[in-house]
Amino acid sequence: MTAPGQPVDLTQLAAHGKESRTAVATRHIDTPLTRLAGVRHPVVQTGMGWVAGPRLVSATAAAGALGILGSATMTPDQLRSAIREVQGRTDAPFGVNLRADAGDAEERVRIIIDEGVRVASFALAPSRELIARLKDAGVVVIPSVGARRHAEKVAAWGADAVVVQGGEGGGHTGEVATTVLLPQVVDAVDIPVIAAGGFFDGRGLVATLAYGAAGIAMGTRFLLTSDSTVPDAVKARYLAATVRDVTVTTAVDGLPHRMLRSELVGSLERSGRLTALLRAVRHAASFRAVSGLSWPQMVRDGLALKHGKDLTWSQVLLAANTPMLLKSSMVEGRTDTGVMASGQVTGLIEDLPSCAELVDRVVREACAVLDGLPGGAEPRQ
């Protein structure tokens, strides 16, 4: 039997399926992710731009999960300030997410190292050099990928773990479902794999552990918490959505992007090329003012986005400025002028718990599911 407050060994749970449920609240599930990141629970809050700020991240970290700051929408000075704010709120480990193709990625990596951040998370595969620099400084490197070959590449370059997002996930996404992509990656690499796309409860955590993953990452579920700074009107739109109210469109930036259906999305899908270009230029000017990036830096970022993709220049501009469309909704509460990135799982979410309540609920559910698994079943001829 597992003593209260001690980590749970999954094999023990399977063997002792009738362990008292009164111990659930004091248990935690020990996996390669918890040991790698130094957190209590194998749950990750993803680094969502304009959403994953100091309040949400510190609340997640204090709850025993791994909170990730979304730095892509911050200037370097804002990033340093946000890191220090989280550190002032909690002593628990947390991470920072950044774009590997950003023109100032080197500067952001230096800030992460200088400020003693535990984990560096990447939205795109970082270079071998960036991985080495972070690892030499003792930072855990966890890139996010959407294909097996990408996982194999970053693993070969020294990444400590990888987040694998299936097509159900919000924001930029692929076509392969998590249940198909996850086992491919687990079988292909020998580093911890974290599953993302379609998760919101303890049953999903147990399912990923059965696949051989080390934990789950959730974006939309953490967005819909009381600790999230997203305006109430926007949260209400998410809570009212059904699974059919979530769509994948390329109209926003030329790349498959999963989000809530809205009048803006419909308008973008009906727009001609000239209208799209004018809209892109307007958003480019807005993002330049907010981000502090120069036009040459934005052009370099646009070229990085265009590399290997069949995008028009209007799509490149939109891709570089999607943050402004997200800010309009996630910060300003303008559901009419902003886009609302969303996982397909939105249609299953009905409440706004605190991060502490959410993490506790996920772990309790996972332990209850593990407790209920049959321990003595034998195959029949």
Side-chain angles (χ1 to χ4, degrees), residues 146-291:
R148 181 181 64 184
R149 66 182 185 280
H150 299 152
E152 291 171 335
K153 179 173 70 174
V154 296
W157 287 354
D160 296 292
V162 65
V163 173
V164 176
Q165 178 174 304
E168 301 94 324
H172 291 123
T173 191
E175 298 178 350
V176 182
T178 304
T179 51
V180 175
L181 180 61
L182 179 59
Q184 283 186 324
V185 176
V186 168
D187 290 345
V189 300
D190 58 1
I191 58 176
V193 176
I194 304 156
F199 300 107
F200 72 107
D201 65 3
R203 294 172 299 177
L205 174 56
V206 173
T208 64
L209 297 176
Y211 274 113
I216 55 172
M218 303 186 294
T220 305
R221 178 64 274 197
F222 275 102
L223 184 157
L224 293 173
T225 60
S226 60
D227 294 305
S228 163
T229 58
V230 171
D232 290 343
V234 177
K235 290 180 181 178
R237 284 289 298 270
Y238 278 91
L239 291 175
T242 70
V243 291
R244 294 183 179 276
D245 294 319
V246 184
T247 187
V248 176
T249 181
T250 60
V252 171
D253 54 18
L255 302 170
H257 202 148
R258 187 177 291 283
M259 60 186 65
L260 292 185
R261 296 183 188 276
S262 67
E263 292 182 7
L264 174 64
V265 172
S267 174
L268 288 172
E269 290 178 334
R270 294 189 298 269
S271 295
R273 181 167 295 183
L274 178 60
T275 301
L277 179 59
L278 291 174
R279 190 192 302 267
V281 171
R282 186 167 64 250
H283 283 295
S286 298
F287 186 57
R288 178 177 177 272
V290 171
S291 67

Side-chain angles (χ1 to χ4, degrees), residues 14-15 19 24 29 46 71 95 118 140 159 171 209 213 222 239 259 263 274 310 325 333 344 346 351 368:
E19 187 174 5
V24 170
I29 300 173
T46 60
S71 81
R118 178 64 178 259
V140 174
L209 297 176
F222 275 102
L239 291 175
M259 60 186 65
E263 292 182 7
L274 178 60
D310 185 22
L325 294 173
Q344 207 166 13
T346 296
D351 60 352

Side-chain angles (χ1 to χ4, degrees), residues 99-121:
R99 275 179 45 194
D101 62 347
D104 59 356
E106 289 278 354
E107 181 180 2
R108 292 170 185 269
V109 165
R110 184 169 64 251
I111 291 171
I112 288 172
I113 294 172
D114 290 347
E115 298 298 327
V117 175
R118 178 64 178 259
V119 174
S121 162

